[in-house]
């Protein structure tokens, strides 16, 4: 008896049926799109994608419902079965391929973030482009774009608050592509700025640094971009030995968006404490975490092999070593924000 047959027999019939419906949807979509040389344009494309998203939402949400009910002891069999059935139809789409294979060695690398932050058709065929878009448009991708908007607004507001400072200093830890900083610079803020990006991925730092320096030069801004290749764990390890990488009371805004999704409660609290020490006495720290109500949780885990540590508003608030200034969610309810100021 094959591994696939065994897995099917062990799994709940409702989950197997939901996977079969997704598989049928994808097969029918590929066949139906095979005669199209390219996606429609303008309003016609909007209506086309809206219709496909509506159909897609029905089948994948049914899968989410049944995956949520799967017994923990069947999790491995469930993931194997889902990937065996669906990966042949999904991995040709650029985002799905990169999310699952993780060529940079970790989930959520800067190129994945670029795909989420600027969703555009990618792929050699219309089918591949459509599957790519289905995975970068709704739900979590929308919350990631909201996060970028909110972070950009934070930078703008606090830049105004510190307008009289000789230099406005920003620190981003686990910075990735730093889209929010780039968008902030495109608003042409006045005065001198120092932007410090910290990331363990040298390629991500080089990418972000090049883009920020280009925007600064094109806009005639006085910006110093500081790139630091370092992991959060190494920063905290050094801090335990009283080796602090950043000058105390130095930054006006410090933030780390997305990294909390991968860190234990203790490490999160330690990181917040560390970054609060680096803040100007009137500065602000903010961070984010994905909420347990993520509507693509099991799709991410089963298809992308991408797991997160989820926290609601109260769980995120509890990470702060000092009373939080503000805790709230974005418009999707999926991205939770924590805002903390030095005490």
């Amino acid at each position: 008896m094959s591994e696939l047959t065994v897995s099917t027999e062990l799994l709940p019939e409702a989950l197997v049926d939901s996977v079969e419906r997704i598989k049928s949807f994808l097969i029918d979509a590929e066949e139906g799109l095979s005669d199209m040389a390219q996606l429609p344009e303008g309003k016609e494309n909007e209506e086309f994608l809206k219709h496909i998203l509506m159909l897609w939402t029905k089948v994948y949400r049914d899968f989410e419902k049944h995956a949520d009910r799967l017994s923990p002891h069947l999790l491995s069999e469930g993931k194997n079965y889902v990937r065996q059935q669906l990966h042949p139809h999904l991995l040709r789409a650029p985002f799905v391929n990169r999310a699952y294979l993780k060529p940079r060695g970790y989930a959520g690398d800067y190129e994945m973030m670029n795909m989420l932050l600027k969703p555009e058709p990618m792929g050699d065929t219309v089918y591949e482009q459509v599957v790519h878009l289905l995975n970068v448009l709704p739900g979590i991708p929308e919350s990631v774009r909201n996060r970028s908007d909110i972070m950009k607004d934070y930078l703008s507001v606090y830049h105004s608050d510190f307008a009289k400072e000789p230099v406005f200093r920003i620190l981003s830890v686990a910075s990735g592509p730093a889209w929010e900083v780039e968008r902030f610079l495109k608003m042409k803020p006045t005065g001198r700025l120092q932007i410090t990006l910290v990331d363990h991925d040298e390629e991500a730092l080089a990418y972000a640094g090049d883009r920020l320096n280009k925007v600064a030069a094109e806009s005639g801004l006085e910006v110093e971009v500081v790139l630091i290749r370092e992991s959060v764990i190494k920063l905290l390890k050094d801090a335990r030995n009283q080796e602090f990488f950043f000058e105390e009371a130095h930054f006006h805004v410090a933030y780390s968006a997305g990294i909390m999704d991968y860190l234990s409660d203790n490490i999160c609290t330690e990181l917040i404490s560390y970054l609060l020490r680096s803040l100007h006495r009137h500065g602000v720290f903010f961070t984010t975490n994905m909420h347990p109500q993520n509507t693509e949780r099991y799709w991410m885990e089963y298809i992308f092999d991408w797991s997160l540590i989820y926290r609601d508003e109260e769980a995120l608030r509890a990470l702060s070593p000092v009373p939080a200034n503000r805790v709230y969610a974005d418009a999707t309810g999926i991205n939770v924000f924590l805002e903390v100021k030095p005490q």
Side-chain angles (χ1 to χ4, degrees):
M1 189 175 293
S2 70
E3 179 184 352
L4 180 58
T5 303
V6 171
S7 298
T8 303
E9 291 178 348
L10 288 171
L11 296 174
E13 184 178 353
L15 176 63
V16 173
D17 288 346
S18 71
V19 173
E20 286 301 314
R21 282 191 287 274
I22 293 175
K23 183 177 177 180
S24 295
F25 173 91
L26 294 170
I27 291 172
D28 291 346
E30 182 164 20
E31 182 178 346
L33 298 171
S34 60
D35 292 335
M36 293 180 62
Q38 63 183 33
L39 286 169
E41 296 181 355
K43 185 69 174 178
E44 185 181 354
N45 188 47
E46 290 179 18
E47 293 301 319
F48 171 76
L49 291 176
K50 182 179 178 181
H51 177 67
I52 290 183
L53 276 169
M54 179 188 68
L55 299 175
W56 172 248
T57 299
K58 290 180 181 178
V59 293
Y60 96 77
R61 286 196 174 166
D62 185 54
F63 163 77
E64 286 284 326
K65 177 177 67 177
H66 295 298
D68 185 40
R69 298 171 181 171
L70 187 65
S71 299
H73 73 279
L74 291 176
L75 189 58
S76 178
E77 288 85 351
K79 289 180 178 179
N80 286 337
Y81 171 70
V82 171
R83 290 169 190 167
Q84 287 168 356
Q85 292 298 303
L86 300 183
H87 271 183
H89 307 282
L90 292 168
L91 288 183
R92 283 174 286 156
F95 181 79
V96 181
N97 186 279
R98 191 173 185 98
Y100 180 66
L101 296 180
K102 302 173 182 61
R104 298 298 299 161
Y106 63 99
D109 69 39
Y110 76 99
E111 284 290 11
M112 288 185 225
M113 291 298 103
N114 283 340
M115 292 177 187
L116 295 177
L117 289 164
K118 193 176 181 182
E120 297 177 338
M122 296 180 69
D124 295 330
T125 66
V126 171
Y127 169 75
E128 292 169 8
Q129 293 170 17
V130 166
V131 173
H132 172 80
L133 288 171
L134 290 176
N135 284 277
V136 299
L137 285 175
I140 265 214
E142 182 182 353
S143 79
V144 170
R145 291 188 287 276
N146 289 346
R147 182 174 71 190
S148 180
D149 289 341
I150 292 169
M151 291 191 296
K152 179 259 297 178
D153 291 341
Y154 262 110
L155 297 179
S156 178
V157 167
Y158 277 89
H159 173 258
S160 298
D161 289 349
F162 288 102
K164 294 182 180 180
E165 291 285 315
V167 182
F168 179 61
R169 294 185 172 90
I170 298 168
L171 169 64
S172 175
V173 175
S175 52
W179 266 61
E180 69 287 344
V181 183
E182 180 178 341
R183 295 173 65 205
F184 166 63
L185 293 183
K186 287 180 177 179
M187 297 171 70
K188 299 185 178 180
T190 58
R192 294 174 58 200
L193 297 94
Q194 182 190 72
I195 299 163
T196 301
L197 305 181
V198 182
D199 203 287
H200 76 285
D201 188 337
E202 187 173 18
E203 191 173 296
L205 284 172
Y207 172 87
D210 286 348
R211 291 179 68 90
L212 296 185
N213 282 317
K214 180 180 179 182
V215 172
E218 290 175 347
S219 301
L221 304 177
E222 192 173 357
V223 180
E224 177 189 7
V225 179
V226 180
L227 305 177
I228 299 174
R229 184 186 181 190
E230 194 61 276
S231 71
V232 166
I233 300 303
K234 181 63 164 55
L235 286 177
L236 297 180
K237 181 179 178 181
D238 290 346
R240 295 181 197 123
N241 296 322
Q242 301 301 309
E243 298 174 15
F244 294 97
F245 202 96
F246 305 114
E247 181 182 340
E248 291 192 16
H250 184 70
F251 297 102
H252 301 104
V253 176
Y255 64 96
S256 186
I259 192 65
M260 302 298 183
D261 297 322
Y262 306 96
L263 302 178
S264 68
D265 288 0
N266 289 341
I267 295 298
C268 287
T269 299
E270 193 175 357
L271 177 61
I272 296 171
S273 298
Y274 180 85
L275 294 178
L276 284 175
R277 290 186 59 166
S278 73
L279 280 177
H280 182 283
R281 62 191 179 93
H282 297 305
V284 65
F285 166 78
F286 61 93
T287 191
T288 66
N289 213 123
M290 291 296 175
H291 195 284
Q293 74 177 28
N294 172 16
T295 53
E296 285 95 36
R297 176 174 184 165
Y298 297 103
W299 187 256
M300 289 178 64
E301 293 179 7
Y302 283 58
I303 300 299
F304 304 153
D305 192 22
W306 189 348
S307 297
L308 305 176
I309 298 172
Y310 294 94
R311 297 180 177 95
D312 61 16
E313 288 85 346
E314 289 311 306
L316 187 56
R317 184 190 301 274
L319 298 180
S320 179
V322 298
N325 190 56
R326 189 181 176 203
V327 181
Y328 62 99
D330 80 311
T332 68
I334 297 174
N335 236 317
V336 186
F337 284 76
L338 170 71
E339 178 186 308
V340 186
K341 295 187 175 183
Q343 299 296 300

